[in-house]
Amino acid sequence: PSLVGSEMCIRDRYVTVCKKDFEDYRIGIVTGVRGEPVKILEESFSSEEAVEHAIFLKRVVDLLERYSE
């Protein structure tokens, strides 16, 4: 089945970006368009766990904004 145009397409998804092992982790945003670069946010985290937690919190805020209307 084709996923183009469906809700299952990846767009504006948060991903973990490791800039320097064990020191610098960032949140990246994937557009879902093949060939477009990941937008890397400025905020830096010192561990993979910390950046994953920040991504989780961003997803919660996004869901609350989406369904609060």
Side-chain angles (χ1 to χ4, degrees), residues 5-18:
S6 77
E7 288 295 316
M8 296 181 72
C9 285
I10 297 174
R11 61 179 169 263
D12 298 330
R13 294 285 306 252
Y14 300 114
V15 296
T16 298
V17 177
C18 178

Side-chain angles (χ1 to χ4, degrees), residues 23-53:
E23 287 184 32
D24 186 10
Y25 296 88
R26 308 278 177 99
I27 296 174
I29 301 175
V30 178
T31 65
V33 177
R34 186 183 304 254
E36 284 192 11
V38 174
K39 178 184 176 189
I40 300 174
L41 303 182
E42 289 296 319
E43 189 174 5
S44 179
F45 300 90
S46 60
S47 71
E48 191 170 359
E49 292 81 10
V51 75
E52 289 294 334
H53 185 253

Side-chain angles (χ1 to χ4, degrees), residues 53-66:
H53 185 253
I55 288 171
F56 170 77
L57 294 176
K58 283 187 171 294
R59 289 178 179 155
V60 168
V61 169
D62 288 351
L63 286 172
L64 289 172
E65 288 175 356
R66 182 174 178 182

